[in-house]
Amino acid sequence: MLTARKKKMVVKEHGSHETDTGSAAVQVGLLTKEIEELTGHLKKHPKDHTSRRGLLKMAGKRRRLLAYLEKNASKVYHEVVKKLGLKK
């Protein structure tokens, strides 16, 4: 679970302005942080299948958002992938 402070930091890093919470770049950043935290949880609790399903749903949503960015705003896509250190 991301705290409000962590969310603000991600929005500041990826958003075009302070209240930009809905752009695809910000959503990808938030999903990436949530995926990282949930991955750590699943390493400690390997039998938590419900959380694993949530992780897979988040990864799929992030993949779709990245595909949207790649198609419609390739410059932003490359910046986001580079900042987050994602493979693509």
Side-chain angles (χ1 to χ4, degrees):
M1 181 67 108
L2 289 178
T3 62
R5 186 173 183 211
K6 288 181 183 179
K7 285 183 182 181
K8 279 186 182 180
M9 295 299 292
V10 171
V11 170
K12 185 183 279 189
E13 186 177 336
H14 297 288
S16 57
H17 51 84
E18 283 186 25
T19 59
D20 178 19
T21 57
S23 68
V26 173
Q27 289 183 49
V28 168
L30 289 172
L31 283 169
T32 301
K33 291 294 181 189
E34 287 186 45
I35 288 170
E36 289 171 359
E37 288 191 7
L38 197 52
T39 302
H41 168 79
L42 287 171
K43 285 182 181 178
K44 292 179 186 173
H45 307 281
K47 293 185 179 182
D48 189 355
H49 299 294
T50 307
S51 293
R52 186 173 310 281
R53 181 173 185 264
L55 174 70
L56 292 173
K57 287 182 79 164
M58 281 189 261
K61 185 170 187 171
R62 181 177 70 177
R63 188 179 332 111
R64 289 189 303 275
L65 284 167
L66 284 170
Y68 169 81
L69 275 177
E70 186 176 26
K71 182 179 178 183
N72 296 315
S74 61
K75 183 179 177 186
V76 175
Y77 167 79
H78 291 294
E79 289 174 5
V80 169
V81 169
K82 187 175 181 181
K83 279 184 187 176
L84 296 174
L86 300 174
K87 298 180 203 174
K88 269 231 171 172

